[in-house]
Amino acid sequence: MITIEGKSVFGGVSIGKLMFYKRNEKVIRRTHVDDVDAEWKRFEEAKNTAIDQLKVLYDKAIEDVGEANAMIFEIHQMMLDDLDYLESIEGIIRTQSVNAEYAVSTTADNFAQMFASMDDAYMQGRAADVKDVSERVLDILCGVSNGTREMTEPCIVAADDLAPSETVQLDKEKVLGFATMYGSSNSHTAILARTMNIPAVIGMGEALNPKYDGEMAIIDGFTGTLYVDPDEETLAKMQEKRAKDLEQKELLNQLKGKENVTKSGQKINVYANIGNVSDLGAVLKNDAGGVGLFRSEFLYLENSTYPTEEQQFAAYKQVVESMAGKKVIIRTLDIGADKQVDYFNLAKEENPALGYRAIRICLTRPEIFKTQLRALYRASVYGNLSIMFPMIISVKEVRKIKEIIEEVKAELREEGLPFKEDVELGIMIETPASVMMSRELAKEVDFFSVGTNDLTQYTLAIDRQNLALDEFYDPHHPAVLAMIKMAADNAHAEGKWIGICGELGADLELTEEFLKMGLDELSVSPAMVLPLRKKIRECE
């Protein structure tokens, strides 16, 4: 038996044969061409074919993993039309009189290296994307298909790492789990595993060797371990662990329709976080009490220009109507930091996490903000809609927001467009400043929602995207919990409710602590709603 340790990205146990993902081999050689115009035309045809393929993949991905995760294929299409990328390829073909394959391969290497060396984690992630999209063009130029092999039986898919285009083309019915040599918790393989609810272990390095192809294996997604050719004792132990896990999932299903109430009678609302209208099915399926965070920036991220008022209105209206009177809290756009949008033309920042983002963009570009607020207020008549503002640090900002809201209401009245006058307004508690000012801020708004991801990074002065600082990043740090407690006390002192919509809300080790603090609501990913309900009902 071979035991290989890695990093778990989704729990559970899967048992089956290992199938190593096979890519078609191609050798890229540098050859001289006499007709550079014909060679450039050859590249352009391959590029257009690649864009057509990506459109098909986008449609498939929407069905498999939802709109938010399918967006990567729209980004890949844009990458193929990127002027810098195209100019580099054309420049190499024309100045060196070389073949298109060499020009694409060289450009891909140069761009990937450039992205990988950047400080920004988001830009580092683009290195894998530029390689993936260039490999697609090279496959077309070389006349080879892009790999994979037919899955004749359910198996555990193993690879160095899987590009988004590769994961989407797998037969989902036959994938028992993922095991990769490299990759991060935010890689497309990890996202797909979480979406499909299947065990996955990443970062196993060279120990995950293709010579194990076809061997019986076990993924323990709870511990991040892969067992190759397991002995009888390990197999029996893992079969028992898998049976218990499936039994637990079945138990959780029995909690649907039950109240989120402790043994002593303390009630708390459990809502769901979503990033897209397509996530609503998961909210209803998991019996969430409402939507505690709808990330409206996805409307901006998947558009090639500013989304119109009508586009936004249609999305917000669909969400509140679908939730049939349950609370839906929509966060105004949180662009900037790790979420960049080209058409916003945001300047490069040395430290984007501390930069021009979220409410700071809205208050300095009121025309964008007003469009969103108009759409939100128009949608408010179709259900129970609340509006939440991110990255607040002062009372002055909240008062400025209220001024803009009054202007929007006046416009809507003048145009005879219906809206609710008393839409509940709240703010995100994400900065130490908002915690320290929470008593004063509570006088201005109806509720608080703690964004624990940013609150942790700002409190601890640790960039949460920096993997080198993982050992120092402690979301359970007493200072972080003291900040949440202080905000809760100040909210309640002013008669306002407070919830958590960050990652910590789903941390079952802290549920009891949050109940003691008197938090009124926890908003988590749809898949965590029932496990959290179970934990709450077990608390004294």
Side-chain angles (χ1 to χ4, degrees), residues 439-539:
R439 185 73 188 255
E440 287 76 11
L441 287 165
K443 292 180 170 79
E444 300 287 334
V445 295
D446 300 304
F447 68 93
F448 289 162
S449 189
V450 184
T452 55
N453 307 4
D454 271 331
L455 183 62
T456 303
Q457 92 165 332
Y458 295 135
T459 303
L460 303 184
I462 289 178
D463 178 359
R464 61 190 169 100
Q465 307 261 7
N466 189 336
L467 297 177
L469 297 174
D470 266 6
E471 63 179 294
F472 300 102
Y473 186 82
D474 176 16
H476 289 207
H477 195 290
V480 176
L481 299 178
M483 288 270 183
I484 298 170
K485 173 81 165 63
M486 183 178 179
D489 289 345
N490 284 333
H492 292 146
E494 294 298 328
K496 307 300 166 67
W497 68 266
I498 179 170
I500 290 179
C501 64
E503 292 286 322
L504 278 195
D507 190 328
L508 301 183
E509 288 179 32
L510 291 174
T511 306
E512 201 158 346
E513 183 80 23
F514 292 148
L515 287 162
K516 283 177 188 169
M517 289 181 192
L519 287 166
D520 305 287
E521 176 247 22
L522 295 171
S523 192
V524 296
S525 67
M528 279 303 297
V529 168
L530 293 172
L532 180 57
R533 178 173 298 164
K534 181 175 185 285
K535 180 69 180 176
I536 290 165
R537 291 172 67 87
E538 287 169 354
C539 287

Side-chain angles (χ1 to χ4, degrees), residues 343-540:
Y343 58 84
F344 270 72
N345 296 315
L346 301 178
K348 174 89 173 76
E349 294 179 299
E350 285 302 313
N351 195 340
L354 300 180
Y356 186 51
R357 57 175 292 199
I359 203 66
R360 296 162 189 178
I361 293 175
C362 291
L363 292 179
T364 51
R365 298 192 188 179
E367 68 288 352
I368 298 171
F369 195 30
K370 274 189 168 182
T371 300
Q372 181 169 34
L373 288 170
R374 282 177 59 93
L376 286 164
Y377 269 90
R378 285 175 58 198
S380 66
V381 295
Y382 295 92
N384 186 0
L385 184 149
S386 302
I387 305 173
M388 178 162 72
F389 306 99
M391 284 297 290
I392 296 295
I393 60 169
S394 70
V395 169
K396 187 172 82 172
E397 288 169 338
V398 177
R399 288 180 180 159
K400 180 65 181 166
I401 289 166
K402 286 178 169 178
E403 281 176 29
I404 295 171
I405 285 172
E406 288 309 314
E407 289 170 22
V408 164
K409 285 180 175 179
E411 287 173 12
L412 293 173
R413 276 190 211 101
E414 204 174 309
E415 294 165 38
L417 292 169
F419 65 92
K420 263 189 195 165
E421 284 283 356
D422 58 345
V423 171
E424 194 181 38
L425 302 177
I427 61 167
M428 297 277 289
I429 299 290
E430 299 170 279
T431 62
S434 62
V435 174
M436 301 311 290
M437 296 296 295
S438 53
R439 185 73 188 255
E440 287 76 11
L441 287 165
K443 292 180 170 79
E444 300 287 334
V445 295
D446 300 304
F447 68 93
F448 289 162
S449 189
V450 184
T452 55
N453 307 4
D454 271 331
L455 183 62
T456 303
Q457 92 165 332
Y458 295 135
T459 303
L460 303 184
I462 289 178
D463 178 359
R464 61 190 169 100
Q465 307 261 7
N466 189 336
L467 297 177
L469 297 174
D470 266 6
E471 63 179 294
F472 300 102
Y473 186 82
D474 176 16
H476 289 207
H477 195 290
V480 176
L481 299 178
M483 288 270 183
I484 298 170
K485 173 81 165 63
M486 183 178 179
D489 289 345
N490 284 333
H492 292 146
E494 294 298 328
K496 307 300 166 67
W497 68 266
I498 179 170
I500 290 179
C501 64
E503 292 286 322
L504 278 195
D507 190 328
L508 301 183
E509 288 179 32
L510 291 174
T511 306
E512 201 158 346
E513 183 80 23
F514 292 148
L515 287 162
K516 283 177 188 169
M517 289 181 192
L519 287 166
D520 305 287
E521 176 247 22
L522 295 171
S523 192
V524 296
S525 67
M528 279 303 297
V529 168
L530 293 172
L532 180 57
R533 178 173 298 164
K534 181 175 185 285
K535 180 69 180 176
I536 290 165
R537 291 172 67 87
E538 287 169 354
C539 287
E540 293 297 338

Side-chain angles (χ1 to χ4, degrees), residues 173-441:
E173 299 297 315
K174 295 197 175 91
V175 180
L176 297 173
F178 289 116
T180 64
M181 296 162 74
Y182 312 112
S184 72
S185 307
N186 297 315
S187 69
H188 300 289
T189 312
I191 291 166
L192 186 69
R194 288 192 285 264
T195 307
M196 291 171 64
N197 291 335
I198 57 173
V201 180
I202 60 169
M204 285 181 280
E206 306 293 325
L208 181 63
N209 195 302
K211 71 183 179 186
Y212 302 133
D213 188 46
E215 294 275 359
M216 182 56 71
I218 300 170
I219 284 183
D220 183 344
F222 297 109
T223 61
T225 310
L226 176 74
Y227 301 98
V228 182
D229 189 21
D231 55 39
E232 283 185 26
E233 187 189 345
T234 304
L235 182 61
K237 199 166 86 178
M238 287 296 134
Q239 283 171 332
E240 189 184 344
K241 194 171 186 178
R242 181 176 63 175
K244 277 186 181 166
D245 180 43
L246 294 172
E247 191 184 326
Q248 178 77 351
K249 282 177 179 155
E250 184 49 43
L251 262 177
L252 290 177
N253 277 332
Q254 293 169 19
L255 287 169
K256 286 185 179 177
K258 301 277 172 66
E259 281 192 300
N260 309 301
V261 59
T262 65
K263 288 178 179 177
S264 59
Q266 184 182 348
K267 289 184 182 180
I268 187 167
N269 288 319
V270 177
Y271 294 166
N273 298 333
I274 61 170
N276 209 296
V277 177
S278 59
D279 298 331
L280 277 173
V283 175
L284 298 169
K285 181 183 163 194
N286 287 282
D287 198 32
V291 173
L293 168 64
F294 177 71
R295 301 179 181 93
S296 68
E297 57 269 16
F298 283 96
L299 289 163
Y300 297 79
L301 288 164
E302 58 191 32
N303 247 36
S304 53
T305 185
Y306 298 104
T308 64
E309 181 181 324
E310 291 307 318
Q311 268 180 290
Q312 294 190 61
F313 167 64
Y316 306 146
K317 176 175 177 279
Q318 189 180 343
V319 175
V320 293
E321 277 185 330
S322 301
M323 291 307 294
K326 291 180 177 177
K327 191 186 287 291
V328 175
I329 301 172
I330 300 179
R331 180 176 71 188
T332 56
L333 78 98
D334 190 4
I335 295 295
D338 58 336
K339 296 188 282 280
Q340 295 292 324
V341 180
D342 288 345
Y343 58 84
F344 270 72
N345 296 315
L346 301 178
K348 174 89 173 76
E349 294 179 299
E350 285 302 313
N351 195 340
L354 300 180
Y356 186 51
R357 57 175 292 199
I359 203 66
R360 296 162 189 178
I361 293 175
C362 291
L363 292 179
T364 51
R365 298 192 188 179
E367 68 288 352
I368 298 171
F369 195 30
K370 274 189 168 182
T371 300
Q372 181 169 34
L373 288 170
R374 282 177 59 93
L376 286 164
Y377 269 90
R378 285 175 58 198
S380 66
V381 295
Y382 295 92
N384 186 0
L385 184 149
S386 302
I387 305 173
M388 178 162 72
F389 306 99
M391 284 297 290
I392 296 295
I393 60 169
S394 70
V395 169
K396 187 172 82 172
E397 288 169 338
V398 177
R399 288 180 180 159
K400 180 65 181 166
I401 289 166
K402 286 178 169 178
E403 281 176 29
I404 295 171
I405 285 172
E406 288 309 314
E407 289 170 22
V408 164
K409 285 180 175 179
E411 287 173 12
L412 293 173
R413 276 190 211 101
E414 204 174 309
E415 294 165 38
L417 292 169
F419 65 92
K420 263 189 195 165
E421 284 283 356
D422 58 345
V423 171
E424 194 181 38
L425 302 177
I427 61 167
M428 297 277 289
I429 299 290
E430 299 170 279
T431 62
S434 62
V435 174
M436 301 311 290
M437 296 296 295
S438 53
R439 185 73 188 255
E440 287 76 11
L441 287 165

